[in-house]
Amino acid sequence: MKTAILSVGTEILFGQIVNTNTVYLSQQLNLLGFDVMYHYTVGDNTSRLKEMIEYIFHDCDLILTTGGLGPTQDDLTKETICEAMGDVLVENAEELAYLKSQWKGDREMPSNNIKQAWFPSRATILKNPIGTAPGFALENNGKMVISMPGPPREMTRMFENEVKPLLEKMQDSVIHYRTIRTSGIGESDIEMMVLDLIEQQTDPTIAPYAKDTGTQIRVASKRKTLEEAKAAVDEMVDVLAERMKEYVYSTDDEELVDVVAKKLIDRNLTIASAESCTAGLFASTLAEVPGISQALQRAFVTYSNESKVQELGVKPETLEKYGAVSVQTAEEMATGLYNKSGADICVSVTGIAGPDGGSDEKPVGMVCFGFNYNSAISGGDGSRVVKTIEMRRKDYGRNYNRKFASHRMLLNVNRILDDKELIK
Amino acid sequence: MKTAILSVGTEILFGQIVNTNTVYLSQQLNLLGFDVMYHYTVGDNTSRLKEMIEYIFHDCDLILTTGGLGPTQDDLTKETICEAMGDVLVENAEELAYLKSQWKGDREMPSNNIKQAWFPSRATILKNPIGTAPGFALENNGKMVISMPGPPREMTRMFENEVKPLLEKMQDSVIHYRTIRTSGIGESDIEMMVLDLIEQQTDPTIAPYAKDTGTQIRVASKRKTLEEAKAAVDEMVDVLAERMKEYVYSTDDEELVDVVAKKLIDRNLTIASAESCTAGLFASTLAEVPGISQALQRAFVTYSNESKVQELGVKPETLEKYGAVSVQTAEEMATGLYNKSGADICVSVTGIAGPDGGSDEKPVGMVCFGFNYNSAISGGDGSRVVKTIEMRRKDYGRNYNRKFASHRMLLNVNRILDDKELIK
């Protein structure tokens, strides 16, 4: 069923709040097999709201609205929808009694709250036990509006308990999807690897999209039963993952940091970092994952040359000869860290984050990495292996450069854990 | 001017990404004096996109679009807008040369990238030095579309550098605003301090709003000339700042980290951190500021007890008696760091980030800080001063707890630099 989500509220048009309601409803509606075709936002304005509802119905059969159901003067959604759907408001005795019961003791109910007990005569009322504004569903000539309050806590609860059962009755198919995540390769290259499948797609559908840190591929299927949809998606995910194998880090939409942290924790391995340009961003990102204290042993932010020598045992001659940003320094940082900390995997990074400090030979955006790890973790003979990596790439701005460097460290730690060759 | 924001992308309709572009553009457009009347989102679908553009223009004169400018098959925004605006695409030699220059060495440009060098014949091209998809502005019969890429990093940069100057030329009154930033005090308390001014406001307007890390107050004026608007805003900012003095860290919307970094750099002071629960977040946040390498000397992420003893000289008895999360440990971390690093200001943090690890005595969300600094920086006699702080507060979730702790460290470093009493 062609569906639109309509958010009502001037504060959204001012950019004062992030519209998470629409994200939540989009996910839920898609999972229930509704085709979300449009999102709309309009301010608290009667004529524009009415016009928009009429316009949306030229192409859609269902509108879910959020917001504008409150007691204040500018909350006019209910009145407007009622008019647009050719109905009239009537007082609902049950709702009035409930509303009054919410104002106990010395507090008297403000008179403008009474309008919250008025509903379109043909509406199905949707309960809101954690707020004062109930929602409603209203049908007219095969078109339906479902109207919910704006506060996310009230809206999600109402959706789960009241709206979902209503919607499930309206559907005869289900959608299921999974998302494959890749990194270390561009969107165009990924698309080329699976272009024939994309061109042939009917169901499941295959949609690649680029994120800052890699390309994701969403595989979705719409079938009669969840079982059929799942089977179709799983089969296609296997085919795609096999093609892109080298670059896939999750076939279930997991964050890279979660993938890495889980492996470290499950395999009882420890990690440490020595960071110059990222200045703790790698360690801090890993620390976002609960339970990581078991694996993340320590980290050194060695910004100054002095600290690289004192804390990590980098040789002053190395700094002198090759500079602080060099593969040689990166290697000595990783090795010094490995010797000092005894962690299973030690990573180091030194680079030119910018905007200043670059040269022709060492431009802003150049980052060098060192990896020193116990090769026993990938079935080696227990001796250490050292890899150092130098990368030159475009300068995307200081903080993106730092974020990218931290992500690249995570990516290569993941590849060490999977016994894959490191990305250079 | 009546304006709409149109987001293009099926992934938005699936609820896979939070549409932060629209929030950013809404804020910016409102500040520039444009009336944002509607937000729309449509999928990567030519006919629906075309129809929507035509519909929006019945009520609006300007549309800003984001997304759908990439190289893949489903990115059709440019072609569709071109058609809707009655223009034709032509190859732009300059953009083609630039595009090709981005693919150096052994990597050849995938053929599907070439379409990114085609533009509507009448379009003004908007540069995108940090991505492959430029934007464009296209006018027809007094209606204008401005089209930008979807990745927020590219979009915000393009808006700031290319779109804003274009929009400013279209306005006949000027809005000027400044934002005062406060921290260490709640929104209601701040509001009480300036309530009479808020109630009297006409122009300039005064709008307080709460952020995670403090309350901001935006003062805006809309006048015929920039000079008039500036004078009105400056006068009101001075009055407000005087009232809230103790809690103001910027009267020009600066980030706290920028304020702190600037003072450190200007005064030629050095700083070091010893971080447990924040795991490098403080150092990494400071490192966002260009030029900080002069001041940020080093940092230690001492997650394990062992590393606290080895790197910072925390006494095993202290850990035994008071625990790793205690003011005593925090103090020894800061003092160990001060002795070892010789930095002018040394800060430490140890806390329970959660979700596990809390107890009745030491709940999740409890964080202890240590500050050890050279009192000469605030005109003292050169002897060191040690302050330790213990804070218990609500548990807002692991990563918010960490972010809050890092922010509190910055806030108190700023207060040390201003010779104010630390916030506990």
Side-chain angles (χ1 to χ4, degrees):
Chain A
M1 186 181 280
K2 287 187 171 182
T3 304
I5 299 169
L6 170 58
S7 312
V8 184
T10 306
E11 71 280 13
I12 304 173
L13 297 177
F14 273 107
Q16 290 179 324
I17 60 166
V18 178
N19 193 344
T20 53
N21 283 347
T22 297
V23 177
Y24 171 84
L25 288 176
S26 297
Q27 291 170 350
Q28 295 293 320
L29 287 165
N30 276 292
L31 288 171
L32 289 167
F34 287 80
D35 295 316
V36 179
M37 311 288 285
Y38 308 98
H39 295 166
Y40 299 90
T41 303
V42 67
D44 300 296
N45 175 292
T46 311
S47 64
R48 283 195 287 275
L49 176 56
K50 182 156 179 264
E51 192 187 308
M52 189 164 265
I53 290 167
E54 285 159 1
Y55 175 70
I56 298 173
F57 276 140
H58 94 285
D59 194 30
C60 292
D61 302 308
L62 174 65
I63 306 176
L64 273 82
T65 79
T66 59
L69 294 181
T72 63
Q73 294 260 336
D74 62 354
D75 292 317
L76 296 157
T77 305
K78 187 163 58 183
E79 292 80 342
T80 310
I81 292 173
C82 183
E83 200 187 321
M85 302 293 278
D87 201 355
V88 291
L89 291 176
V90 294
E91 189 179 277
N92 183 299
E94 197 185 331
E95 283 302 322
L96 185 63
Y98 170 74
L99 204 57
K100 283 187 172 164
S101 75
Q102 299 301 297
W103 299 86
K104 286 176 189 153
D106 2 314
R107 294 195 311 160
E108 203 173 302
M109 186 171 81
S111 60
N112 55 0
N113 275 71
I114 286 177
K115 75 170 199 171
Q116 296 195 270
W118 287 68
F119 287 91
S121 70
R122 300 190 309 269
T124 305
I125 295 176
L126 308 170
K127 302 270 177 217
N128 183 6
I130 55 172
T132 57
F136 64 94
L138 182 58
E139 206 176 335
N140 191 34
N141 289 327
K143 306 281 188 183
M144 183 181 254
V145 176
I146 294 174
S147 198
M148 293 177 284
R153 212 168 50 90
E154 298 177 30
M155 190 282 292
T156 52
R157 184 178 171 135
M158 185 179 291
F159 185 87
E160 198 56 46
N161 297 343
E162 306 272 324
V163 179
K164 209 171 162 182
L166 211 70
L167 295 176
E168 276 167 346
K169 278 188 213 145
M170 293 159 67
Q171 279 302 60
D172 55 4
S173 63
V174 258
I175 287 193
H176 178 69
Y177 69 92
R178 283 172 62 185
T179 300
I180 302 173
R181 290 189 174 219
T182 70
S183 197
I185 181 170
E187 187 187 10
S188 314
D189 292 324
I190 276 285
E191 198 180 28
M192 285 303 180
M193 292 168 98
V194 296
L195 196 59
D196 56 316
L197 296 170
I198 292 179
E199 282 174 349
Q200 287 160 26
Q201 67 180 321
T202 45
D203 181 301
T205 55
I206 304 163
Y209 54 102
K211 294 236 170 186
D212 266 2
T213 48
T215 300
Q216 308 192 356
I217 298 98
R218 187 182 57 236
V219 181
S221 173
K222 184 174 185 174
R223 301 287 170 105
K224 278 240 153 30
T225 68
L226 183 61
E227 255 182 1
E228 284 175 56
K230 271 189 175 164
V233 168
D234 291 349
E235 193 183 336
M236 182 56 80
V237 165
D238 287 346
V239 173
L240 290 166
E242 182 58 33
R243 295 255 191 116
M244 306 179 298
K245 201 167 169 180
E246 186 66 17
Y247 304 100
V248 173
Y249 65 79
S250 172
T251 54
D252 280 306
D253 207 19
E254 295 153 292
E255 297 288 342
L256 180 57
V257 65
D258 291 318
V259 171
V260 170
K262 188 170 186 308
K263 286 179 193 165
L264 290 170
I265 294 169
D266 286 353
R267 291 163 65 178
N268 215 10
L269 296 170
T270 53
I271 189 164
S273 64
E275 310 183 37
S276 189
C277 61
T278 53
L281 186 58
F282 173 82
S284 174
T285 303
L286 256 187
E288 288 172 10
V289 185
I292 195 67
S293 52
Q294 172 195 318
L296 178 59
Q297 202 209 45
R298 74 187 79 182
F300 295 88
V301 176
T302 50
Y303 233 50
S304 63
N305 276 353
E306 199 188 14
S307 65
K308 289 183 183 74
V309 175
Q310 285 174 5
E311 307 302 342
L312 301 169
V314 172
K315 294 193 206 92
E317 310 87 79
T318 306
L319 290 168
E320 177 81 15
K321 190 167 172 192
Y322 302 104
V325 178
S326 63
V327 281
Q328 291 81 3
T329 297
E331 182 179 332
E332 289 189 14
M333 286 168 73
T335 300
L337 180 62
Y338 191 88
N339 294 335
K340 184 169 191 175
S341 72
D344 295 307
I345 300 177
C346 290
V347 293
S348 71
V349 57
T350 173
I352 299 165
D356 302 320
S359 65
D360 282 351
E361 202 200 337
K362 296 183 178 182
V364 171
M366 171 176 162
V367 188
C368 301
F369 302 97
F371 298 89
N372 195 331
Y373 58 95
N374 183 341
S375 71
I377 64 175
S378 49
D381 63 359
S383 72
R384 294 164 206 158
V385 178
V386 180
K387 305 233 178 202
T388 62
I389 291 183
E390 183 179 8
M391 183 184 51
R392 285 161 199 263
R393 26 163 228 97
K394 229 173 133 183
D395 168 26
Y396 288 106
R398 178 177 181 86
N399 287 316
Y400 184 75
N401 291 341
R402 295 175 60 236
K403 194 177 143 193
F404 189 91
S406 171
H407 188 266
R408 178 53 57 95
M409 291 159 85
L410 273 179
L411 186 63
N412 274 334
V413 169
N414 193 44
R415 294 178 78 89
I416 288 172
L417 291 164
D418 287 349
D419 203 12
K420 285 181 184 168
E421 203 178 317
L422 301 202
I423 291 192
K424 303 200 173 185
Chain B
M1 186 179 282
K2 286 187 173 184
T3 305
I5 298 169
L6 170 58
S7 312
V8 184
T10 307
E11 71 279 13
I12 304 173
L13 297 177
F14 273 104
Q16 290 185 320
I17 58 168
V18 179
N19 194 344
T20 53
N21 283 346
T22 298
V23 177
Y24 170 84
L25 288 175
S26 298
Q27 291 170 349
Q28 295 292 320
L29 287 164
N30 277 292
L31 288 171
L32 289 166
F34 288 79
D35 294 317
V36 179
M37 310 289 284
Y38 307 97
H39 295 167
Y40 299 90
T41 303
V42 67
D44 300 296
N45 175 292
T46 311
S47 64
R48 283 195 287 275
L49 176 57
K50 183 158 178 260
E51 194 187 306
M52 189 164 264
I53 290 167
E54 286 159 2
Y55 175 70
I56 298 173
F57 277 139
H58 93 284
D59 194 31
C60 293
D61 302 308
L62 173 66
I63 306 177
L64 274 81
T65 79
T66 59
L69 294 181
T72 63
Q73 295 255 338
D74 62 355
D75 291 317
L76 296 158
T77 305
K78 188 163 55 184
E79 291 80 342
T80 310
I81 291 173
C82 183
E83 201 187 321
M85 301 293 279
D87 201 354
V88 290
L89 291 177
V90 295
E91 189 179 278
N92 183 299
E94 196 185 332
E95 284 301 324
L96 185 63
Y98 171 74
L99 203 57
K100 283 188 172 163
S101 75
Q102 299 302 298
W103 298 87
K104 283 176 190 154
D106 359 314
R107 295 196 312 161
E108 202 172 302
M109 184 171 82
S111 59
N112 53 1
N113 274 72
I114 285 176
K115 76 169 198 170
Q116 296 194 270
W118 287 70
F119 287 90
S121 70
R122 300 190 310 268
T124 305
I125 295 177
L126 308 171
K127 302 273 176 215
N128 183 5
I130 56 171
T132 58
F136 63 94
L138 183 56
E139 206 177 336
N140 191 33
N141 289 329
K143 305 282 187 181
M144 183 181 254
V145 176
I146 294 174
S147 197
M148 292 177 284
R153 210 169 43 85
E154 299 177 28
M155 189 282 292
T156 51
R157 183 174 172 142
M158 186 178 291
F159 185 87
E160 198 56 44
N161 297 343
E162 306 272 324
V163 178
K164 209 170 161 183
L166 211 69
L167 295 176
E168 278 168 345
K169 278 189 213 144
M170 292 158 68
Q171 289 296 60
D172 60 357
S173 60
V174 217
I175 291 194
H176 178 70
Y177 69 94
R178 281 173 64 187
T179 300
I180 302 173
R181 290 188 175 220
T182 69
S183 197
I185 180 170
E187 187 185 12
S188 325
D189 292 325
I190 277 286
E191 202 176 17
M192 284 305 181
M193 294 168 99
V194 296
L195 196 59
D196 56 317
L197 296 169
I198 292 179
E199 282 174 347
Q200 288 161 24
Q201 66 180 322
T202 47
D203 181 304
T205 55
I206 304 163
Y209 53 103
K211 293 239 170 187
D212 268 1
T213 47
T215 301
Q216 307 191 356
I217 298 98
R218 191 175 52 229
V219 181
S221 174
K222 187 175 185 173
R223 302 283 170 108
K224 277 244 153 29
T225 69
L226 183 61
E227 254 181 2
E228 286 175 54
K230 269 188 174 164
V233 168
D234 290 350
E235 193 184 336
M236 181 57 79
V237 165
D238 287 348
V239 173
L240 289 166
E242 182 58 34
R243 296 256 191 116
M244 307 179 296
K245 204 167 170 177
E246 183 68 15
Y247 303 100
V248 173
Y249 65 79
S250 173
T251 54
D252 280 306
D253 205 19
E254 294 153 293
E255 296 289 342
L256 179 58
V257 66
D258 291 317
V259 172
V260 170
K262 189 171 186 309
K263 286 179 192 164
L264 290 170
I265 294 169
D266 287 353
R267 291 164 66 179
N268 215 11
L269 296 170
T270 55
I271 189 164
S273 65
E275 310 183 39
S276 190
C277 61
T278 53
L281 186 60
F282 173 81
S284 175
T285 304
L286 256 187
E288 287 171 10
V289 185
I292 194 68
S293 53
Q294 172 195 318
L296 178 59
Q297 202 208 44
R298 72 187 80 182
F300 295 87
V301 177
T302 50
Y303 234 51
S304 64
N305 276 354
E306 199 188 13
S307 64
K308 289 183 182 75
V309 175
Q310 285 175 5
E311 307 302 342
L312 302 169
V314 173
K315 293 194 207 93
E317 309 87 79
T318 306
L319 290 168
E320 177 81 16
K321 191 167 173 192
Y322 302 104
V325 178
S326 62
V327 281
Q328 291 81 4
T329 297
E331 182 178 333
E332 289 190 13
M333 286 169 73
T335 301
L337 180 63
Y338 191 88
N339 294 334
K340 184 170 190 175
S341 70
D344 296 306
I345 301 177
C346 290
V347 293
S348 72
V349 57
T350 174
I352 298 164
D356 303 320
S359 65
D360 282 351
E361 202 200 338
K362 297 183 179 181
V364 171
M366 170 176 163
V367 188
C368 302
F369 303 96
F371 298 89
N372 195 330
Y373 59 95
N374 183 341
S375 71
I377 64 176
S378 49
D381 62 0
S383 71
R384 295 162 206 158
V385 179
V386 179
K387 305 235 178 200
T388 62
I389 290 182
E390 183 179 6
M391 183 183 52
R392 286 161 198 262
R393 22 162 233 100
K394 227 175 132 184
D395 168 25
Y396 288 105
R398 179 178 181 86
N399 287 316
Y400 183 74
N401 290 342
R402 295 176 59 237
K403 194 177 142 192
F404 189 91
S406 171
H407 187 265
R408 178 52 57 96
M409 291 159 83
L410 274 178
L411 186 64
N412 274 335
V413 170
N414 192 44
R415 295 179 78 89
I416 288 173
L417 290 164
D418 287 349
D419 203 13
K420 286 181 184 167
E421 203 177 318
L422 302 201
I423 291 193
K424 303 199 175 186

